[in-house]
Amino acid sequence: MCLKSSSISPDIARLLEGLPRNWGKWGPDDEVGALNYLDPAQVLKGVACIRQGKTFTLQTQIGHPKGEPLFPGRRPSLRVNVLDKGHYLAGKAHFDGNVEYVDDVIFMHLQGSTQYDALGHVWYDDQLWNGYDALSTIGGMSKASILPIAERGVVGRAVLIDMARHRGKAVLDKGEGFDHHDLLAAASAQGVTLEPRDILLVRTGWIGSFYEREAEEFYRDYNEPGLAFSRELVEWFHQMQIPNLITDTMANEVAFDAESGVMIPLHNALMRNLGVAFTEVAMLDALAEDCAADGQWQFLYAAAPLKIVGGSGAPVNPMVIK
Ligand code: UVW
């Protein structure tokens, strides 16, 4: 698998030199990073946002008839029945007492639906989050895998920024970027305040549009909309102590930094270096519609990816309660 921009010899280490890192902040054995900011006070802050009893689930459907939005290079899931009524009709299965049941198996990318990335999912210079050796990824992640995030869970006050709505569009354009200034301007227009340690959800309309567009057009010259790298943006995430970034795109950021040509620099600047948890391919359209209608853009967010030993990520169906 090889994705390249047109620039010459891009270098992530050079791009991120001098930017903040949270390595060691939560001890030498930490594997959940900025999720440590979600202490009991943050959970209660989230609970205090529940005012209406409305609930939302944010996962995309595995096996949707129109397909699955996937980062280039990944393949759709394959779900197969290994036992169903057909087996009983063909006399290939029988259980005492006329009991029957259906069983199935699934083969899929762990980053194939709405998912949490393990903090060690992406790296450079042979070091993962907290300085763990990239050799620890071989044959299954023994450091900074998805398991510690799954064991911990993610709960706190969260805010949705609807960047597409703010720009008067149903969906942002291919490669359309935005930064923290845009997030703050949108928040202000929505009448909500982004507070330190808030879980941040950003809607671009991108994943929702996958189900409306022809696949050929969707993937042509692939570069999704999203956060665009800048040193100030990374500093802002650090100062705001954002624990978790959730978007309705596949990578949470535009695929290439326009100036340096480095691919997905924020994965390294935010996830590897600051320990910010990344949640991608979320479905935010219904939630955004509701927030626009009732004016409540802050809520309780709760999610726990599947507990997969050694996994580089895991599917999740996050819940929002307003
Ligand atoms: C990559 O971008 C490589 O992975 P993901 O978007 O799943 O974090």
Coordinates of all heavy atoms in Angstrom, one line a residue, residues 3 71-72 74 110-113 115-118 121-122 224 249-253 263-264 267 271 278-281 312, ligand 1:
L3 N 0.5 5.6 -0.5 CA -0.2 6.8 -0.9 C 0.9 7.9 -0.9 O 1.6 8.1 0.0 CB -1.2 7.1 0.1 CG -2.6 6.5 0.0 CD1 -3.6 7.1 1.0 CD2 -3.2 6.6 -1.4
F71 N -11.0 3.8 4.0 CA -9.8 4.5 3.6 C -9.2 3.7 2.5 O -9.2 2.5 2.5 CB -8.9 4.6 4.8 CG -7.8 5.6 4.6 CD1 -8.0 7.0 4.8 CD2 -6.5 5.2 4.3 CE1 -7.0 7.9 4.6 CE2 -5.5 6.2 4.2 CZ -5.7 7.5 4.3
P72 N -8.7 4.4 1.5 CA -8.1 3.6 0.3 C -7.1 2.5 0.8 O -6.3 2.8 1.6 CB -7.4 4.7 -0.5 CG -8.1 6.0 -0.2 CD -8.6 5.8 1.3
R74 N -8.2 -0.3 2.0 CA -9.0 -1.3 2.9 C -10.1 -1.9 2.1 O -10.7 -1.3 1.2 CB -9.5 -0.5 4.1 CG -8.3 -0.1 5.0 CD -8.7 0.6 6.3 NE -7.6 0.9 7.1 CZ -7.4 2.0 7.8 NH1 -8.4 2.9 7.9 NH2 -6.3 2.3 8.5
L110 N -10.3 -3.7 11.2 CA -10.7 -3.2 12.5 C -10.9 -1.7 12.4 O -11.6 -1.1 13.2 CB -9.7 -3.5 13.6 CG -9.6 -5.0 13.9 CD1 -8.5 -5.3 15.0 CD2 -11.0 -5.5 14.4
Q111 N -10.4 -1.1 11.4 CA -10.7 0.3 11.0 C -11.7 0.4 10.0 O -11.8 1.4 9.2 CB -9.4 1.1 10.6 CG -8.6 1.7 11.7 CD -7.6 0.8 12.3 OE1 -7.4 -0.4 11.9 NE2 -6.9 1.2 13.3
G112 N -12.6 -0.6 9.8 CA -13.5 -0.7 8.7 C -14.9 -0.1 8.9 O -15.6 0.1 8.0
S113 N -15.2 0.3 10.1 CA -16.5 0.9 10.4 C -16.1 2.1 11.3 O -14.9 2.5 11.4 CB -17.4 -0.1 11.1 OG -18.6 0.6 11.4
Q115 N -14.7 3.6 14.3 CA -13.7 2.9 15.1 C -12.9 3.9 16.0 O -12.8 5.0 15.7 CB -12.8 2.1 14.3 CG -11.5 2.7 13.8 CD -11.7 3.6 12.6 OE1 -12.7 3.5 11.9 NE2 -10.7 4.4 12.4
Y116 N -12.3 3.3 17.0 CA -11.2 4.0 17.7 C -9.9 3.4 17.2 O -9.8 2.2 17.0 CB -11.3 3.7 19.2 CG -12.2 4.7 20.0 CD1 -13.6 4.6 19.9 CD2 -11.6 5.8 20.6 CE1 -14.3 5.6 20.6 CE2 -12.4 6.7 21.2 CZ -13.7 6.6 21.2 OH -14.5 7.6 21.8
D117 N -9.0 4.3 17.0 CA -7.6 3.9 16.7 C -6.9 3.6 18.0 O -7.1 4.4 19.0 CB -6.8 5.0 16.0 CG -7.2 5.2 14.5 OD1 -7.7 4.2 13.9 OD2 -6.9 6.2 13.9
A118 N -6.1 2.6 18.0 CA -5.2 2.4 19.1 C -4.2 3.6 19.1 O -3.9 4.1 18.0 CB -4.4 1.1 19.0
H121 N -1.4 3.2 16.7 CA -1.8 2.8 15.3 C -0.8 3.5 14.2 O -0.6 2.9 13.2 CB -3.2 3.3 15.1 CG -3.7 3.2 13.7 ND1 -3.6 2.1 12.9 CD2 -4.4 4.1 13.0 CE1 -4.2 2.3 11.8 NE2 -4.7 3.5 11.7
V122 N -0.3 4.7 14.5 CA 0.5 5.4 13.5 C 1.7 6.0 14.2 O 1.6 6.4 15.4 CB -0.4 6.6 12.9 CG1 0.5 7.5 12.1 CG2 -1.5 6.0 12.1
E224 N -10.1 13.7 1.5 CA -11.3 14.1 2.2 C -11.1 15.5 2.9 O -10.0 15.9 3.1 CB -11.8 13.0 3.2 CG -10.7 12.5 4.0 CD -11.1 11.4 5.0 OE1 -12.2 10.8 4.7 OE2 -10.4 11.2 5.9
T249 N -15.3 11.6 9.0 CA -14.3 11.3 7.8 C -13.6 10.1 8.2 O -13.7 9.6 9.3 CB -13.4 12.5 7.6 OG1 -12.5 12.6 8.7 CG2 -14.1 13.8 7.5
M250 N -12.7 9.6 7.2 CA -12.0 8.4 7.5 C -10.7 8.6 8.2 O -10.2 7.7 8.8 CB -11.7 7.7 6.2 CG -13.0 7.2 5.5 SD -12.7 6.5 4.0 CE -14.2 6.9 3.1
A251 N -10.2 9.8 8.2 CA -8.9 10.0 8.8 C -8.9 11.2 9.8 O -7.8 11.5 10.3 CB -7.8 10.2 7.8
N252 N -10.0 11.9 9.9 CA -10.0 13.1 10.9 C -9.2 14.3 10.3 O -9.1 15.3 11.0 CB -9.6 12.8 12.3 CG -10.6 12.0 13.1 OD1 -11.7 11.8 12.6 ND2 -10.2 11.7 14.3
E253 N -8.6 14.2 9.2 CA -7.8 15.3 8.7 C -7.7 15.2 7.2 O -7.9 14.1 6.6 CB -6.4 15.2 9.3 CG -5.7 13.9 9.1 CD -4.2 14.0 9.7 OE1 -3.5 15.0 9.5 OE2 -3.8 12.9 10.3
M263 N 1.9 12.9 4.7 CA 0.6 12.3 4.8 C 0.1 12.2 6.3 O 0.9 12.0 7.2 CB 0.7 10.9 4.2 CG -0.6 10.1 4.2 SD -0.5 8.5 3.5 CE -1.8 7.6 4.4
I264 N -1.1 12.5 6.5 CA -1.9 12.4 7.8 C -1.0 12.9 9.0 O -0.8 12.2 9.9 CB -2.5 11.1 8.0 CG1 -1.6 9.9 7.9 CG2 -3.7 10.9 7.1 CD1 -2.2 8.6 8.4
H267 N -2.3 12.7 12.7 CA -2.3 11.4 13.4 C -1.0 11.3 14.3 O -1.1 10.8 15.4 CB -2.2 10.2 12.4 CG -3.6 9.8 11.9 ND1 -4.4 10.5 11.2 CD2 -4.2 8.6 12.1 CE1 -5.5 9.8 10.9 NE2 -5.4 8.6 11.5
M271 N -2.1 12.2 17.9 CA -2.3 10.9 18.5 C -1.0 10.3 19.0 O -0.9 10.0 20.2 CB -2.9 9.9 17.4 CG -3.2 8.5 18.0 SD -4.4 7.7 16.9 CE -3.5 7.5 15.4
F278 N -8.4 9.0 18.5 CA -9.0 9.3 17.3 C -10.2 8.3 17.0 O -10.0 7.1 17.1 CB -8.0 9.2 16.1 CG -7.3 10.4 15.8 CD1 -6.9 11.3 16.7 CD2 -6.9 10.7 14.4 CE1 -6.2 12.5 16.4 CE2 -6.2 11.8 14.1 CZ -5.8 12.7 15.1
T279 N -11.3 8.9 16.7 CA -12.5 8.1 16.3 C -12.9 8.6 15.0 O -13.1 9.8 14.8 CB -13.6 8.3 17.4 OG1 -13.1 8.2 18.7 CG2 -14.8 7.4 17.1
E280 N -13.0 7.7 14.0 CA -13.3 8.0 12.6 C -14.5 7.3 12.1 O -15.0 6.4 12.7 CB -12.0 7.7 11.8 CG -10.8 8.5 12.2 CD -9.5 7.8 12.0 OE1 -9.5 6.5 12.1 OE2 -8.5 8.4 11.8
V281 N -14.9 7.8 10.9 CA -16.1 7.2 10.2 C -17.4 7.3 11.0 O -18.2 6.4 11.0 CB -15.8 5.8 9.7 CG1 -16.7 5.4 8.6 CG2 -14.4 5.7 9.2
S312 N -5.0 -2.9 16.5 CA -4.6 -1.6 16.2 C -5.8 -0.6 16.2 O -5.6 0.6 16.0 CB -4.0 -1.5 14.8 OG -5.0 -1.9 13.8
Ligands
UVW1 C1 -5.0 5.7 8.5 O1 -5.3 6.8 8.0 C2 -3.8 5.0 8.0 O2 -5.7 5.1 9.3 P1 -7.0 5.7 10.1 O3 -7.6 6.7 9.2 O4 -7.9 4.5 10.2 O5 -6.5 6.2 11.3

